[in-house]
Amino acid sequence: MNTQHSYLVDLKCSGCGKIYSANEIHTFCPDCQSTLIVQYDLDSIRSHIDRDEITRRPKGMWRWHEVLPVVDKQNQITLGEGDCALLSLNNLSKTLGLTNLYVKEESSNPTGSFKARGLSAAVSKAKELGVKKVIIPTAGNAGGAMASYAARAGMQAMIYMPKDTPKANIEESRIAGAEVILIDGLISDAAGMAGVKAREEGWFDVSTFKEPYRAEGKKIMGYELAESFGWELPDVIIYPTGGGTGLVGMWKAFQELENLGWLNKTKRPRMVSVQATGCAPIPLAFQKKAMFCDFWTGAHTIASGLRVPKSFADQLILKCLYESNGTAIAVEDEALMQAQQELAKAEGIFAAPEGAATLAALKDLINQKWIHPDEKIVLFNTGSGLKYLDHTG
Ligand SMILES: *Cc1c(COP(=O)(O)O)cnc(C)c1O
Ligand SMILES: [Zn+2]
């Protein structure tokens, strides 16, 4: 049987549909400024690969290599990301009157957040395409993750961060050898500066959705969920949304899983996007049934990963919410900080403020009766509370 490491085919523009080669370096579509979507030969995988074979492989994100973009295994840069626990929240379930509540505990990833998944994929593919230096604007965790994977890949790294980014993010980037530039502004300002630097000096920009592969790493969370639930999907996924790579990535994974014939039931989850009331472009656009977001001015929230005034892929995020019959919800900083305490006291999980926001949102959704008590619900704790200690004092 003729099997390949990856069944990568090409890149397709999410805006105009134009096809780009996956053997060359691409960022986003130069014609229409939209995100490029990675395509695989799913029919071949379907006839060559058994889902149970993947379950038997050693743990980690890269056991799904057929649906990841790295063609030569030697280019895989891994620090042991993926296969984070799916925990049932029995104590909180009782308090909230639910029967099927889970958390995907992404804080056990290298560098303490799920950004590791995306940057493992992006840095690996960049290495495969001959990139020597990578640059990123970040609200925090993506910087630390990029610096770590770049160090392991032997690449130069440059990072633009708002100066009020949690200290852990700044230090973890510096210690891995990245050049860190602290700016007086938001991630959107950082993105502008990194973009200019990239063009002037030939750095490869791995900004969220401005390169095709970070979402591919994050989509594996969707594959893991399907496998954990016996090749079925949960009813509701509650996801703290900044740039939206995980949300859009998982939605893509569910389509791929259907096309691969790996799901026992094809019923899709309702996707919930959670943001903070101090920066809520997605809930606002969702309320207006809009297809894109307006730039959110004066963004502020303690959950630095959610401090994204407008995602480059706002249209893809909103499309996923509409297609899934999902919703978008904004929570106050006080509510997410209280939820952080509750998660730790009831379940022993010290979540990042972003992750805790999903519990605060869940409570609102229960009050609105948007959620049925017996539904299978998955919260995403996207990072460790330990990375934010200088902000909570
Ligand atoms: C980046 C980040 C988010 C937002 O993730 P996206 O996939 O970009 O929407 C949420 N939580 C944490 C801890 C993050 O670092
Ligand atoms: Zn295009």
Side-chain angles (χ1 to χ4, degrees), residues 80-340:
E81 57 293 323
D83 273 322
C84 303
L86 177 71
L87 302 171
S88 59
L89 298 176
N90 295 332
N91 300 329
L92 275 174
S93 292
K94 278 202 198 94
T95 318
L96 298 171
L98 303 175
T99 56
N100 263 310
L101 179 61
Y102 300 83
V103 66
K104 185 85 168 138
E105 232 307 64
E106 292 288 319
S107 68
S108 63
N109 274 303
T111 70
S113 91
F114 73 157
K115 288 294 192 303
R117 294 177 180 267
L119 273 306
S120 175
V123 170
S124 297
K125 189 62 193 175
K127 179 177 191 254
E128 185 156 86
L129 295 173
V131 168
K132 299 277 188 289
K133 45 188 205 174
V134 283
I135 192 167
I136 199 168
T138 172
N141 285 318
M146 192 195 78
S148 304
Y149 286 95
R152 202 159 157 85
M155 285 183 204
Q156 246 180 296
M158 182 172 282
I159 300 171
Y160 283 76
M161 287 181 179
K163 66 177 180 348
D164 56 352
T165 299
K167 205 161 158 194
N169 296 134
I170 299 169
E171 291 310 316
E172 68 179 337
S173 302
R174 285 189 174 142
I175 203 164
E179 187 177 338
V180 177
I181 292 142
L182 297 177
I183 65 137
D184 199 2
L186 288 163
I187 185 170
S188 38
D189 305 302
M193 293 181 207
V196 170
K197 188 85 176 168
R199 280 190 298 278
E200 281 174 3
E201 296 181 10
W203 295 77
F204 182 64
D205 187 349
V206 288
S207 298
T208 305
F209 283 121
K210 290 185 186 168
E211 67 79 53
Y213 301 109
R214 279 173 65 186
E216 292 301 296
K218 286 239 187 116
K219 89 178 172 190
I220 299 300
M221 299 188 296
Y223 279 84
E224 289 174 17
L225 278 184
E227 183 190 43
S228 301
F229 285 120
W231 303 101
E232 286 177 16
L233 300 173
D235 297 305
V236 177
I237 290 177
I238 307 185
Y239 183 87
T241 309
T245 40
L247 197 78
V248 172
M250 283 193 281
W251 195 242
K252 178 173 189 269
F254 300 152
Q255 184 64 56
E256 290 177 357
L257 280 160
E258 271 180 36
N259 295 352
L260 289 165
W262 288 359
L263 293 178
N264 295 341
K265 269 195 220 154
T266 54
K267 190 169 167 280
R268 298 265 191 110
R270 308 199 307 283
M271 307 295 280
V272 180
S273 170
V274 182
Q275 295 194 311
T277 48
C279 181
I282 304 275
L284 181 64
F286 184 83
Q287 257 175 24
K288 297 194 289 194
K289 300 190 170 61
M291 297 312 286
F292 58 89
C293 293
D294 292 323
F295 187 91
W296 187 278
T297 45
H300 64 94
T301 165
I302 186 144
S304 45
L306 308 185
R307 223 187 285 144
V308 180
K310 178 175 163 69
S311 168
F312 189 69
D314 52 349
Q315 302 192 34
L316 297 179
I317 297 170
L318 287 161
K319 196 160 158 261
C320 158
L321 300 181
Y322 298 133
E323 280 178 10
S324 75
N325 286 314
T327 191
I329 189 160
V331 299
E332 301 279 350
D333 272 14
E334 297 88 82
L336 67 87
M337 293 315 285
Q338 197 198 322
Q340 189 185 43

Side-chain angles (χ1 to χ4, degrees), residues 13-18 20 29-36:
C13 175
S14 60
C16 68
K18 192 170 170 193
Y20 294 87
C29 179
D31 290 355
C32 76
Q33 272 42 259
S34 302
T35 296
L36 302 180

